[in-house]
Amino acid sequence: MGHRGVWTSLLLVWITCATHTSMSALANQLRGLDQGGTAPGMRQPGEVRGTLTRAKRGWVWNQMFVLEEFSGPDPILVGRLHTDLDVGNKNLKYVLAGEGAGTIFAINERTGDIHAMKRLDREEKAEYTLTAQVINRDTNEPLEPPSEFIIKVQDINDNAPEFTNGPYHATVPEMSQVGTPVTKVTATDADDPVYGNSAKLVYSILEGQPYFSIDPNTAVIKIALQGMDREMREEYLVVIQAKDMGGHMGGLSGTTTVTITLTDVNDNPPKFSKSLYEFTIPEDLGIGQVGGKVKANDRDMGENAKSTYNVIGGDDKDVFEITTDSQTQEGILRLKKPLDFENKKSYTLRVEATNVNFDPQFSGSGPFKDTATVKVAVEDSDEPPVFTQPSYLVEVHENTGVNAVIEQVAAHDPDITGSLVRYFIDRHTDLERQFNINVDDGKITLAKPLDREMDMWHNITVTAMEVRNHSQISRAIVAIKVLDINDNAPEFAMEYETFLCENGKPGQALSNQNSETVSAVDKDDPKNGHFFIYSLVPEMSNNPNFTIKDNKDNSINVLAKHDTFRRQKQEMYYLPIVVSDNGSPPMSSTNTLTIRVCGCSKEGIVQSCNVEAYVLPIGLSMGALIAILACIILLLVIVVLFVTLRRHKNEPLIIKDDEDVRENIIRYDDEGGGEEDTEAFDIATLQNPDGINGFLPRKDIKPDLQFMPRQGQHSGPNGVDVDEFINVRLHEADNDPTAPPYDSIQIYGYEGRGSVASSLSSLETASSDSDQNFDYLREWGPHFRRLGELYSVGESDREP
């Protein structure tokens, strides 16, 4: 800032159409400028805080304003800069820098006038910061330091309100009270909220009255009508308007839609479509089967429409029950007890439908349930016969005679017509045909003798069938229990093998597999249990060697009478014992007890019961020697088999004469495998096929049995019938036990005479190689084409 210059004034010119600064305020600012003061918001270079004096400045101005969206024919004058150095000096030059300088804003370098060159939009940029400076026009040297100032774009109402989140969707329960909030909408205005009323919005409803209202300031939508019923109307479309300029005339506005849906509440009771339901049900309807359906309609929806059904009255209401179908909300009438047309032909029921979910706020509207009457008519059906009881229990002694009547069953036709009934036994339940039944009166008789010990129970099924309608059949179970009689004698519980120590003392008890006692069993089952009596046979009642002792528990001990038992003298003793029961009549049986004399230790433990034990080496028993011999024999068999297999493997399969050197070129007339078939053919056959007149041994197998060679047919020079020759050979092969059991090629040594195709062998042809022509092989078909090509190639190779 120049030190000589004294700042006098700065003329600021505002060109505005709608300025928010009053003329009096503008006059006060200019008055302050003339007195050297600073307008609010001005930058004060050189100011020292905390002092009351400050330096005089050459530049003094306030903020400048320019109206947005101004589109005049000429650039708009924003303001004018002037310095006290400008006293007619033409060497001064005003320079403008900063945001938009030179593009948006331009300054007259001589007068200091600032113009806006383009239309401005406050919503894009609200203010610009620029720097002004005075320089020497000739030298471009600054005469004063640069100073910063702001140009603000003044807002006009050029933006309408917008609902950025629309359209809206909202829900509110039906029957809500007036004033219940539904939802809130929000609109935005891009204009300056601090400038005038350009961004001050007021909300109103264009469509949707009188059902809804909106707060003009908060934009909260509320219920405006009492008793809005979803069942009458479920959805409403509300149009909301937002207007700026405080809602006054000339303001801009925007609209949005709000779709309001009334949600359901339980405000309607269930209602039967009719007060009387009538059903006809056949009397043979099964338990739990559906007899009919009723429906109570509810205008509500979802959980509020669910109802439950109950039978609340009527005659014999326990015969039926009613359940709710969760899918269709129907009441399903089902049968709980069997129907009988002959006893009761109709039923009258009282059915009630009640809402599952109850809303207490609607309790004053009345009971949320409804009732209806259900009449059920029972229809007569052809029912199957009915037995006097569902099952029968019969007790029969096992000695009951054949054809004796053991029980009588009875069934009748419950229908009014009353058909006759015939009785049968289901043979699937009586496979042995143990019983018979009279088809007319139902008497069950015994067809075969009973045996309780074989089958204690017999369960048979008896069927009753109507004579008039054979499809009507009923069944009853007859359980037959066979009662016991004393028809079985007691016998030993097992095959006892008793041991006696030869060094034992007199009175020692004989031991067996499990213990020292001998017991018996009886297949019969007396009511008071078994009681067995043991005794020796009368002819051996004074047995010199053994006696028996009764243990009073249906078991005995066998005792030795002396200590002179020796295995060398007698190894085995047989003791007959009579076992009797106390049945009526008593039954008895004679059982033989086998007693073996054994060698025992001092403690009485059995060690050996065989006489051979005395001649065996010490420490080896007979069982051990047998095991050793078995192992030796097994090893010998393995060695023999191994040697035999090795010899068989090394034996040559082809027997040939080492001195015979004619194997390279051999004349033969056998169409077998040729000289390469060394397994199934003997080379001697190829050497002299005409001389083969007998047995040809196979070299690929070794026959187990040797038989005399077969006398084969001789292919004489005059020729033999080929068919007869082959049949003879086949007969010989079929009856030859040395022939292999698998498919093989039999060597016949005879090719036949006069073959149309002749022999394929080149060794037997009478012509020379050069005279051979194999073109006929190609004429035989595709199977011989390759063979013809090979021979053709051979001929071409032999050509010079």
Side-chain angles (χ1 to χ4, degrees):
M1 182 181 296
H3 297 287
R4 293 185 307 166
V6 178
W7 300 95
T8 57
S9 66
L10 172 64
L11 179 62
L12 298 177
V13 180
W14 287 273
I15 308 298
T16 62
C17 296
T19 179
H20 67 282
T21 305
S22 62
M23 294 303 295
S24 59
L26 178 59
N28 291 334
Q29 291 181 5
L30 292 176
R31 193 179 301 112
L33 292 176
D34 291 340
Q35 296 175 359
T38 305
M42 295 177 59
R43 184 183 176 197
Q44 302 178 11
E47 178 182 358
V48 181
R49 297 184 179 181
T51 61
L52 298 177
T53 60
R54 53 191 174 187
K56 197 93 146 156
R57 296 175 302 171
W59 293 89
V60 181
W61 60 80
N62 200 348
Q63 295 177 347
M64 294 185 181
F65 296 90
V66 59
L67 195 64
E68 71 168 334
E69 302 295 342
F70 184 80
S71 58
D74 299 324
I76 181 174
L77 179 62
V78 178
R80 177 176 296 171
L81 301 179
H82 189 77
T83 179
D84 54 354
L85 298 178
D86 187 4
V87 291
N89 189 354
K90 296 183 179 180
N91 289 331
L92 294 179
K93 181 180 179 181
Y94 294 94
V95 178
L96 188 65
E99 296 177 338
T103 57
I104 299 177
F105 301 101
I107 188 171
N108 190 315
E109 61 182 17
R110 295 184 179 275
T111 63
D113 294 339
I114 301 176
H115 291 82
M117 308 302 294
K118 297 181 179 180
R119 177 186 296 179
L120 302 179
D121 188 355
R122 190 201 68 84
E123 286 71 37
E124 293 183 1
K125 190 171 180 62
E127 61 181 32
Y128 298 85
T129 301
L130 298 109
T131 302
Q133 192 176 21
V134 179
I135 62 175
N136 189 294
R137 181 182 299 273
D138 297 331
T139 62
N140 288 332
E141 293 181 358
L143 300 179
E144 293 183 2
S147 293
E148 186 178 272
F149 67 98
I150 297 174
I151 298 178
K152 287 190 174 183
V153 180
Q154 196 171 26
D155 183 49
I156 64 173
N157 189 19
D158 60 342
N159 291 280
E162 293 183 358
F163 291 90
T164 57
N165 296 327
Y168 295 85
H169 295 271
T171 59
V172 63
E174 64 172 332
M175 311 301 291
S176 296
Q177 298 295 324
V178 175
T180 302
V182 178
T183 187
K184 180 180 179 180
V185 296
T186 303
T188 57
D189 196 320
D191 292 327
D192 191 354
V194 300
Y195 171 72
N197 295 326
S198 298
K200 184 178 181 180
L201 305 181
V202 174
Y203 298 89
S204 62
I205 291 182
L206 300 182
E207 296 181 17
Q209 295 175 337
Y211 308 104
F212 302 96
S213 63
I214 189 170
D215 187 291
N217 297 318
T218 62
V220 175
I221 302 175
K222 301 178 181 180
I223 295 291
L225 186 64
Q226 183 70 28
M228 297 179 65
D229 192 357
R230 184 199 64 84
E231 288 72 31
M232 299 297 296
R233 182 177 178 182
E234 184 177 5
E235 190 174 271
Y236 296 84
L237 183 63
V238 180
V239 179
I240 303 297
Q241 174 184 267
K243 190 174 184 180
D244 59 13
M245 298 299 293
H248 294 107
M249 185 178 297
L252 303 178
S253 64
T255 61
T256 188
T257 59
V258 182
T259 303
I260 301 175
T261 303
L262 298 182
T263 58
D264 185 60
V265 297
N266 192 11
D267 59 337
N268 294 282
K271 187 70 176 177
F272 283 103
S273 58
K274 51 186 179 180
S275 60
L276 177 63
Y277 293 85
E278 295 181 338
F279 303 106
T280 300
I281 301 177
E283 65 172 331
D284 58 353
L285 184 69
I287 301 298
Q289 295 298 314
V290 178
K293 297 181 181 180
V294 297
K295 179 67 178 295
N297 298 313
D298 195 323
R299 299 176 63 193
D300 297 322
M301 61 185 299
E303 295 293 325
N304 297 322
K306 289 185 176 181
S307 299
T308 181
Y309 298 87
N310 295 286
V311 177
I312 60 174
D315 49 350
D316 293 336
K317 64 178 183 179
D318 293 334
V319 177
F320 297 93
E321 66 176 353
I322 190 168
T323 58
T324 304
D325 189 328
S326 59
Q327 300 296 327
T328 62
Q329 290 299 306
E330 292 178 315
I332 310 300
L333 190 67
R334 298 180 186 274
L335 192 64
K336 289 178 62 178
K337 295 181 179 180
L339 299 175
D340 190 356
F341 174 80
E342 288 71 25
N343 293 331
K344 192 173 181 60
K345 297 178 174 58
S346 64
Y347 296 86
T348 301
L349 306 174
R350 193 71 177 165
V351 179
E352 180 183 72
T354 307
N355 269 152
V356 176
N357 301 311
F358 176 71
D359 195 340
Q361 65 174 326
F362 301 106
S363 59
S365 302
F368 280 75
K369 56 186 177 180
D370 194 18
T371 59
T373 301
V374 178
K375 289 188 176 182
V376 179
V378 181
E379 183 181 40
D380 188 22
S381 300
D382 189 4
E383 299 176 87
V386 178
F387 281 94
T388 55
Q389 56 190 75
S391 61
Y392 297 82
L393 176 61
V394 183
E395 292 184 347
V396 182
H397 286 89
E398 60 178 326
N399 62 345
T400 302
V402 176
N403 296 326
V405 177
I406 62 174
E407 184 61 283
Q408 183 176 10
V409 297
H412 69 282
D413 185 5
D415 297 325
I416 297 176
T417 55
S419 173
L420 294 178
V421 176
R422 294 288 182 264
Y423 303 94
F424 304 93
I425 293 178
D426 186 352
R427 293 304 176 183
H428 292 90
T429 61
D430 185 24
L431 298 177
E432 301 295 332
R433 294 186 175 270
Q434 190 79 47
F435 307 95
N436 291 326
I437 191 171
N438 190 296
V439 296
D440 296 320
D441 57 13
K443 291 182 179 180
I444 302 175
T445 57
L446 197 61
K448 294 181 180 180
L450 296 174
D451 188 355
R452 191 201 67 84
E453 288 69 39
M454 294 296 294
D455 288 301
M456 185 176 178
W457 285 92
H458 296 270
N459 295 313
I460 62 175
T461 300
V462 176
T463 60
M465 181 181 66
E466 289 185 7
V467 175
R468 184 183 58 191
N469 185 357
H470 292 177
S471 64
Q472 295 300 328
I473 298 176
S474 295
R475 292 174 174 82
I477 303 297
V478 179
I480 302 171
K481 181 179 181 181
V482 182
L483 301 180
D484 182 51
I485 63 170
N486 192 28
D487 60 345
N488 291 279
E491 56 186 12
F492 279 168
M494 57 185 296
E495 291 290 336
Y496 288 103
E497 185 177 358
T498 311
F499 306 98
L500 171 65
C501 292
E502 60 180 351
N503 58 351
K505 299 179 180 180
Q508 68 170 321
L510 279 64
S511 61
N512 51 56
Q513 297 96 318
N514 299 318
S515 64
E516 295 181 349
T517 62
V518 176
S519 60
V521 294
D522 194 336
K523 295 180 180 179
D524 295 325
D525 187 17
K527 294 182 179 179
N528 298 325
H530 293 286
F531 181 76
F532 300 136
I533 301 172
Y534 299 87
S535 63
L536 298 177
V537 294
E539 58 270 19
M540 297 185 64
S541 58
N542 295 322
N543 191 295
N545 297 316
F546 306 99
T547 185
I548 59 175
K549 175 187 176 182
D550 193 347
N551 296 325
K552 306 301 181 182
D553 59 354
N554 289 335
S555 67
I556 61 172
N557 288 105
V558 180
L559 306 178
K561 285 187 174 183
H562 56 83
D563 59 354
T564 59
F565 296 98
R566 295 293 181 267
R567 282 180 286 176
Q568 295 82 355
K569 180 180 179 181
Q570 185 173 348
E571 180 185 4
M572 202 84 67
Y573 292 87
Y574 299 97
L575 182 63
I577 299 176
V578 179
V579 186
S580 305
D581 59 18
N582 62 340
S584 179
M587 303 291 292
S588 64
S589 66
T590 301
N591 300 267
T592 301
L593 185 66
T594 302
I595 303 172
R596 186 184 297 273
V597 181
C598 301
C600 302
S601 63
K602 295 181 179 181
E603 293 79 11
I605 301 176
V606 177
Q607 291 183 338
S608 175
C609 296
N610 298 324
V611 179
E612 294 81 356
Y614 284 95
V615 300
L616 293 177
I618 299 177
L620 290 177
S621 63
M622 180 64 69
L625 289 177
I626 293 175
I628 294 174
L629 290 176
C631 293
I632 294 174
I633 293 173
L634 180 61
L635 290 174
L636 291 176
V637 170
I638 294 175
V639 171
V640 171
L641 290 176
F642 179 76
V643 173
T644 303
L645 292 175
R646 289 292 302 269
R647 292 183 61 187
H648 180 70
K649 182 177 180 181
N650 296 330
E651 182 180 357
L653 297 179
I654 300 177
I655 300 175
K656 58 183 181 179
D657 190 1
D658 295 334
E659 298 179 359
D660 191 354
V661 296
R662 295 176 296 169
E663 298 175 3
N664 296 328
I665 301 176
I666 298 174
R667 179 179 180 273
Y668 66 98
D669 57 355
D670 187 279
E671 295 184 5
E675 49 275 311
E676 294 180 0
D677 188 355
T678 60
E679 297 294 329
F681 293 91
D682 187 0
I683 198 66
T685 303
L686 305 179
Q687 296 173 358
N688 190 11
D690 292 334
I692 299 303
N693 192 21
F695 174 69
L696 281 176
R698 290 289 303 272
K699 299 305 179 180
D700 56 340
I701 62 172
K702 177 178 287 186
D704 295 335
L705 300 176
Q706 298 295 331
F707 291 84
M708 293 300 294
R710 299 193 303 266
Q711 295 298 325
Q713 290 288 343
H714 176 68
S715 55
N718 296 328
V720 181
D721 182 55
V722 176
D723 183 62
E724 180 182 358
F725 173 80
I726 293 177
N727 289 334
V728 171
R729 287 291 187 170
L730 288 176
H731 178 74
E732 293 176 357
D734 292 339
N735 294 278
D736 185 2
T738 63
Y742 48 83
D743 295 338
S744 62
I745 301 175
Q746 296 294 331
I747 304 173
Y748 299 125
Y750 181 78
E751 191 178 31
R753 296 292 186 265
S755 174
V756 177
S758 299
S759 175
L760 297 179
S761 174
S762 61
L763 300 178
E764 194 179 10
T765 178
S767 60
S768 63
D769 293 343
S770 60
D771 299 331
Q772 288 285 345
N773 184 6
F774 299 100
D775 293 338
Y776 62 88
L777 293 177
R778 299 182 182 180
E779 300 176 358
W780 287 4
H783 297 292
F784 296 90
R785 183 175 301 166
R786 180 58 180 168
L787 184 62
E789 293 176 356
L790 292 175
Y791 277 89
S792 299
V793 171
E795 292 178 0
S796 62
D797 294 340
R798 288 192 297 268
E799 292 178 1

